[in-house]
Amino acid sequence: MTNSIHWFTKFLTSIGIFLFFEFGYIWASKGHQSSDIINGAFAIDHSIPLIPEFIIPYMLGYFFVLTPIFLFSNKYDYYRGVAIFILTLIAAFILFKLFPIQMSKTYATGSDAFSQLTYFQQKNDTSFNNCPSLHVALNSYCWGLLFIQYGRKMLWLSWIPVAIIASTLLVKQHLVIDVIGGTILGVISSYLFYQLKDHPKLSQYSYRASMLVVVIVILMNLEKLSLVAKILAGFLQTGGTIIALISGLFVIIMVSVLMIKNRKLKRTNNHA
């Protein structure tokens, strides 16, 4: 019996998680009254400038979160990584629904490619449901998993989550309180991943249960697939060149991490 996960399974998992994210976000944004919305802005939020160029690390955040899914070769590491990823999304969606934090956005108005993509991203999202920031939570979790699995060599990648976290503020997608909440959620998720390392069966059952939830949610929202496709098309039409460059950067990051992973495996085998 193989101890690894086929790449096609990983691909389907990524598609499923993406759709679950989109449908969950849509669900969390519905049904709010103006009296329900909470103002979470601090004074410092009004002092943070809008820098459209930071849309690059912001968009990278959509890719970087997939790194562990594609790089983990041990099936039980994969199981717990995916299960906690989905659990993190569920926790965030519930918080979005119960405590919608409002943000008065400063919209990008320039005609350059960075400003146009930033504006599209800003208009595509609601002005609430910001806390905890999933960009912060999931990318912190992703880096935490890489650090837990591959050790201090992953410190060289720490600039990526730092840049992504900064970008959430600098493209005016999030408030400081959102970043704090996202960081806390990301740390908790990383801790759960670490604690499950000695529980392979629990990891497997958690994975199956979480993927069952994903499949059920997708089946319940099939009519929204056209809306998701429209959003994706809008991103590609607005910032296709930038997204292509970010995709290339992501591939470089993946190859670099894979090289570090293979070196660690080689050293482990030499010492065995």
Side-chain angles (χ1 to χ4, degrees), residues 188-217:
I188 292 173
S189 299
S190 299
Y191 177 76
L192 288 175
F193 177 85
Y194 179 77
Q195 289 298 312
L196 277 176
K197 65 184 178 68
D198 296 323
H199 302 280
K201 286 299 182 182
L202 179 58
S203 298
Q204 185 175 16
Y205 295 145
S206 299
Y207 169 77
R208 289 175 177 175
S210 62
M211 289 307 299
L212 179 60
V213 171
V214 168
V215 171
I216 291 173
V217 169

Side-chain angles (χ1 to χ4, degrees), residues 138-259:
L138 294 177
N139 283 283
S140 299
Y141 172 62
C142 168
W143 183 84
L145 265 57
L146 295 176
F147 183 79
I148 291 169
Q149 291 297 99
Y150 307 126
R152 289 180 296 175
K153 289 187 178 295
M154 288 298 104
L155 288 174
W156 78 272
L157 273 181
S158 60
W159 66 271
I160 297 178
V162 169
I164 292 170
I165 291 171
S167 74
T168 64
L169 298 171
L170 294 170
V171 297
K172 292 298 182 179
Q173 282 289 93
H174 285 285
L175 301 169
V176 169
I177 193 173
D178 308 335
V179 171
I180 294 172
T183 302
I184 293 172
L185 183 57
V187 170
I188 292 173
S189 299
S190 299
Y191 177 76
L192 288 175
F193 177 85
Y194 179 77
Q195 289 298 312
L196 277 176
K197 65 184 178 68
D198 296 323
H199 302 280
K201 286 299 182 182
L202 179 58
S203 298
Q204 185 175 16
Y205 295 145
S206 299
Y207 169 77
R208 289 175 177 175
S210 62
M211 289 307 299
L212 179 60
V213 171
V214 168
V215 171
I216 291 173
V217 169
I218 291 174
L219 292 176
M220 292 175 61
N221 291 274
L222 291 177
E223 75 281 358
K224 297 185 179 72
L225 285 174
S226 59
L227 174 60
V228 174
K230 182 179 179 181
I231 292 171
L232 279 176
F235 272 112
L236 293 174
Q237 182 178 1
T238 305
T241 302
I242 295 175
I243 293 173
L245 292 173
I246 293 169
S247 301
L249 177 59
F250 174 65
V251 170
I252 294 172
I253 293 169
M254 287 276 288
V255 171
S256 302
V257 177
L258 186 60
M259 291 172 62

Side-chain angles (χ1 to χ4, degrees), residues 31-39 98-100 102 128:
H32 294 298
Q33 305 295 326
S34 57
S35 57
D36 299 332
I37 308 300
I38 303 167
N39 182 6
L98 296 178
F99 307 104
Q102 184 176 22
F128 50 92

Side-chain angles (χ1 to χ4, degrees), residues 5-16:
I5 301 292
H6 195 275
W7 69 267
F8 189 67
T9 300
K10 296 181 177 183
F11 174 75
L12 289 180
T13 299
S14 301
I15 298 298

